[in-house]
Amino acid sequence: MSTETALATAKAGEIDDGKDVPNMSLLDITEGDNERGIPKAKFIDDVEAFSSTFEPPASPELLIGACSDLMNKYRNYEAQLQQRQLRLKQKVPELEKSLSLVRTLLEKQGSPDSTTGMARYSLADNIFAQAELDYENNNTVNLWLGANVMLEFTYQEALDFLSQNQERAKKEMEDAISDLAFVRDQIVTSEVTMSRVFNWDVRRKRNTKESTTSS
């Protein structure tokens, strides 16, 4: 039995009573992936026919357990994508602000009317200091790369570096938004499938009870 099967069986509360259990994995209830490898939930139109594709036929408890496991995976995807989207929403404006500053420095450097100037910079949270800028004799800027790393770039190098990071961050933002919408669609599909399995189980038990009563 696969790991996914064991998880589904445990969640469904099944007890090993010696009966055969169909070998079911998450691959059986998904169909392909999106561009970034997130699985697409399979919409099960005929639950009884789908159950019969396993040997022995999959029980409602096993099907619901497998769908529940898949649902939890989608919830984890959703939480991770929301965190990534929030992080990128903060990162993109910071990159745009840095790009604007470097462009200003380049413009001042090439202007004969501007040789020096004053600038305010963040020294700590809510603390700013003033610095005198020598536009004429300075052509480098230090960029904070994170993880206690700071590197010196020329203005043009900084402009190229920040532009590349900005394009990458915007692309990651688009991907995160697209993936989040995709994952939420899969959650809806999984919920519908679980509901269909439950309704099929209710109808099956009702028919069995009616058959027993009539006989």
Side-chain angles (χ1 to χ4, degrees):
M1 183 185 297
S2 66
T3 303
E4 292 85 353
T5 306
L7 287 172
T9 305
K11 289 187 178 183
E14 292 187 349
I15 301 175
D16 186 3
D17 56 2
K19 296 181 180 179
D20 291 334
V21 178
N23 185 22
M24 178 183 294
S25 73
L26 292 182
L27 295 177
D28 295 312
I29 55 175
T30 58
E31 47 184 4
D33 303 329
N34 76 345
E35 295 177 354
R36 281 157 295 281
I38 301 176
K40 180 180 180 181
K42 181 184 294 183
F43 177 75
I44 303 175
D45 184 48
D46 189 332
V47 178
E48 185 172 3
F50 178 75
S51 170
S52 299
T53 60
F54 299 92
E55 184 60 39
S59 67
E61 292 79 12
L62 184 59
L63 290 173
I64 291 176
C67 289
S68 178
D69 188 36
L70 182 61
M71 176 83 72
N72 289 335
K73 289 181 180 294
Y74 285 135
R75 293 295 185 191
N76 288 335
Y77 278 129
E78 184 181 33
Q80 293 172 11
L81 288 167
Q82 286 175 331
Q83 291 176 0
R84 183 186 304 172
Q85 189 175 6
L86 181 61
R87 185 174 66 252
L88 290 169
K89 280 184 177 179
Q90 297 172 344
K91 183 177 181 179
V92 170
E94 289 176 358
L95 287 169
E96 291 175 347
K97 185 177 179 180
S98 297
L99 273 168
S100 176
L101 176 60
V102 174
R103 290 192 184 102
T104 300
L105 291 173
L106 269 172
E107 291 173 1
K108 295 291 186 181
Q109 187 184 40
S111 173
D113 299 328
S114 300
T115 57
T116 60
M118 300 297 295
R120 295 176 70 241
Y121 64 95
S122 177
L123 190 62
D125 289 342
N126 299 319
I127 299 176
F128 292 86
Q130 281 191 333
E132 183 176 353
L133 302 178
D134 185 354
Y135 300 126
E136 187 176 8
N137 298 314
N138 184 57
N139 67 341
T140 61
V141 63
N142 294 316
L143 296 183
W144 179 259
L145 304 183
N148 296 323
V149 176
M150 179 178 285
L151 291 180
E152 184 178 69
F153 295 84
T154 65
Y155 290 160
Q156 189 58 52
E157 288 173 344
L159 192 64
D160 294 340
F161 179 77
L162 291 171
S163 296
Q164 291 176 2
N165 282 0
Q166 182 190 41
E167 291 301 318
R168 189 183 301 114
K170 286 182 177 180
K171 178 63 168 60
E172 289 178 359
M173 173 68 83
E174 292 175 0
D175 291 344
I177 293 173
S178 175
D179 285 348
L180 190 56
F182 176 81
V183 165
R184 286 170 175 167
D185 285 343
Q186 306 321 302
I187 289 175
V188 171
T189 300
S190 299
E191 289 174 339
V192 171
T193 297
M194 291 177 67
S195 177
R196 292 175 69 87
V197 171
F198 178 78
N199 292 337
W200 166 68
D201 185 37
V202 170
R203 291 194 303 269
R204 189 173 62 94
K205 289 179 179 178
R206 184 188 301 125
N207 293 337
T208 301
K209 183 176 181 181
E210 291 175 353
S211 298
T212 303
T213 304
S214 60
S215 61

